[in-house]
Amino acid sequence: MLTVFKNYFSHSTVIGFFILSIAALYFILSNSLLEDHFYWIFVPIVLAPFYEWYVHKYQLHAELTKKDGWYRRYQILLHHGHHRDPDNIKLQFAPWRYLIYIYTQTYLTYSLIMWSFTESVVPMTGHLIYHLWYEWMHLAHHSKGYKPLTSLGKKLRDSHMSHHFHNENYNWGITNMLGDWSFNTLKNNKEIEKSKTTKSISGYM
């Protein structure tokens, strides 16, 4: 457990997102944004199971480009390399270049929906807090010395290990199983065949 905490709180992604979360909370509280938009902070958390499922399946597992260059290296750093070497802690956290891209896109989307760059900080705060939880869960799943504290935690870990070591085409959830349950991709190892490409996903040879 102590090793997991050490690895988690010493990583730049976690440190950065804690700082951003505190800054965002201070901003929305000091500007009284929660008075009229309180429920918006929970919208990202409610959508997270389905967003997480979609991103994992269609973005992280996108076919690896055959052309050598920065984009191929980016894809490998983002996720393909993580499947090749699941125990490599450097590949267990989302890279900053991806986080900047995806959260800028998310912020602008909320700004359009709410028609305000200021008010959209409220749902973005929910996203930041959720991402901290995501990184913790993913790290815990891959930490051999960590024992889940609940039966649900054990099921989540077993599901993720199945995704990595049995068949990469199922069990897309990290923090929950609702997305997999909704789209019928929540499977145990007895229900699906063992894949030969768990470590060479989407064209990564």
Side-chain angles (χ1 to χ4, degrees), residues 185-197:
T185 53
L186 181 63
K187 305 291 183 180
N188 62 54
N189 291 352
K190 294 180 180 179
E191 296 178 281
I192 50 179
E193 293 183 357
K194 185 173 177 58
S195 170
K196 296 180 180 179
T197 54

Side-chain angles (χ1 to χ4, degrees), residues 20-199:
L20 288 172
S21 297
I22 292 169
L25 283 169
Y26 176 79
F27 180 83
I28 62 179
L29 290 173
S30 61
N31 287 278
S32 303
L33 294 176
L34 289 182
E35 293 179 7
D36 297 321
H37 305 288
F38 178 75
Y39 63 92
W40 273 99
I41 203 168
F42 297 104
V43 169
I45 297 171
V46 172
L47 296 177
F50 309 102
Y51 179 76
E52 184 176 293
W53 186 92
Y54 167 80
V55 168
H56 194 175
K57 181 175 174 64
Y58 292 106
Q59 291 188 17
L60 303 188
H61 278 248
E63 191 70 18
L64 184 65
T65 182
K66 293 179 173 60
K67 183 179 179 181
D68 194 21
W70 73 268
Y71 186 65
R72 179 183 171 88
R73 293 192 297 272
Y74 166 74
Q75 285 184 291
I76 293 171
L77 177 64
L78 179 61
H79 199 67
H80 292 67
H82 174 52
H83 267 265
R84 174 66 60 84
D85 187 7
D87 292 330
N88 187 339
I89 193 169
K90 293 180 179 179
L91 298 174
Q92 290 171 11
F93 291 88
W96 270 108
R97 70 184 78 175
Y98 172 75
L99 295 174
I100 292 170
Y101 161 75
I102 199 69
Y103 279 106
T104 298
Q105 189 180 70
T106 302
Y107 174 66
L108 292 175
T109 300
Y110 279 120
S111 296
L112 284 173
I113 293 172
M114 302 180 76
W115 204 243
S116 171
F117 286 114
T118 301
E119 294 171 359
S120 59
V121 176
V122 178
M124 277 303 299
T125 303
H127 270 285
L128 294 172
I129 294 170
Y130 158 74
H131 189 81
L132 286 168
W133 176 243
Y134 174 93
E135 295 287 15
W136 167 261
M137 290 296 294
H138 190 232
L139 178 64
H141 290 335
H142 284 278
S143 299
K144 292 181 171 60
Y146 178 79
K147 294 183 180 180
L149 302 177
T150 65
S151 58
L152 178 59
K154 186 178 185 304
K155 288 179 181 178
L156 276 169
R157 181 173 185 166
D158 290 346
S159 173
H160 191 60
M161 290 301 99
S162 176
H163 173 81
H164 269 283
F165 298 105
H166 189 77
N167 192 314
E168 74 278 14
N169 299 302
Y170 300 92
N171 301 315
W172 302 100
I174 304 295
T175 67
N176 62 82
M177 296 180 285
L178 184 57
D180 282 311
W181 181 81
S182 300
F183 298 113
N184 196 34
T185 53
L186 181 63
K187 305 291 183 180
N188 62 54
N189 291 352
K190 294 180 180 179
E191 296 178 281
I192 50 179
E193 293 183 357
K194 185 173 177 58
S195 170
K196 296 180 180 179
T197 54
T198 56
K199 292 193 175 184

Side-chain angles (χ1 to χ4, degrees), residues 9-26:
F9 286 105
S10 63
H11 198 275
S12 63
T13 297
V14 174
I15 295 170
F17 268 69
F18 262 110
I19 293 171
L20 288 172
S21 297
I22 292 169
L25 283 169
Y26 176 79

